[in-house]
Amino acid sequence: MSSREFSSSRKRWRTFPVDCFAMCGDCVEKEYPNRGNTCLENGSFLLNFTGCAVCNKRDFMLITNKSSKEEDGEEIVTYDHLCKNCHHVIARHEYTFSIMDEFQEYTMLCLLCGKAEDTISILPDDPRQMTLLF
């Protein structure tokens, strides 16, 4: 796919090449919405999907090219969101998980699902939540 494509039924739409994959900015309501600490290892954020810019249908999506690898103690899960009807690539999803010291760290980056990060203590009592007693 090129970095720009044209659809006769819609305006010129934006694509974002990421690691040789193009993602479509016209298929989503908001590009990379801030999702706070909601990190998705799988699935799709359908509320942000406006419909496919190629076939103009708003339907469920396919998840393809899913891969999981471990690199330097970090688990990385990637997959593509595709239009169920015409297989247009809507977005590339990346989720990471790692353990740093006493915390589990999660991140997500996806044009459709958004960007998010979360840190959770692996201890029974989260040291960040403890108050000092004097």
Side-chain angles (χ1 to χ4, degrees):
M1 281 192 182
S2 65
S3 62
R4 290 236 180 242
E5 296 182 9
F6 183 78
S7 173
S8 60
S9 61
R10 294 182 78 164
K11 63 182 173 166
R12 182 172 290 270
W13 40 281
R14 304 167 315 278
T15 58
F16 305 93
V18 175
D19 296 332
C20 301
F21 291 94
M23 298 185 295
C24 183
D26 279 351
C27 294
V28 297
E29 180 76 28
K30 183 174 181 182
E31 298 164 8
Y32 299 100
N34 184 350
R35 299 292 303 281
N37 61 359
T38 303
C39 298
L40 304 175
E41 183 178 355
N42 54 42
S44 304
F45 183 41
L46 293 176
L47 289 175
N48 194 36
F49 180 53
T50 59
C52 179
V54 174
C55 69
N56 296 317
K57 293 185 180 175
R58 188 171 190 267
D59 206 342
F60 290 106
M61 286 181 227
L62 299 174
I63 291 177
T64 62
N65 300 324
K66 188 167 185 176
S67 70
S68 180
K69 64 181 177 180
E70 191 167 323
E71 196 172 279
D72 298 324
E74 181 177 65
E75 178 187 1
I76 303 169
V77 176
T78 59
Y79 57 87
D80 296 331
H81 296 284
L82 266 63
C83 172
K84 176 182 156 188
N85 300 295
C86 69
H87 298 152
H88 168 68
V89 177
I90 295 160
R92 177 100 170 144
H93 188 103
E94 182 177 283
Y95 165 88
T96 65
F97 168 78
S98 62
I99 296 177
M100 298 295 285
D101 299 322
E102 300 169 344
F103 297 94
Q104 295 176 335
E105 295 186 351
Y106 303 86
T107 65
M108 174 183 73
L109 183 63
C110 177
L111 180 82
L112 172 71
C113 299
K115 56 187 173 185
E117 54 186 43
D118 196 10
T119 303
I120 300 172
S121 174
I122 60 175
L123 301 174
D125 294 315
D126 189 338
R128 298 171 300 175
Q129 305 298 323
M130 301 188 75
T131 57
L132 296 174
L133 300 174
F134 292 97

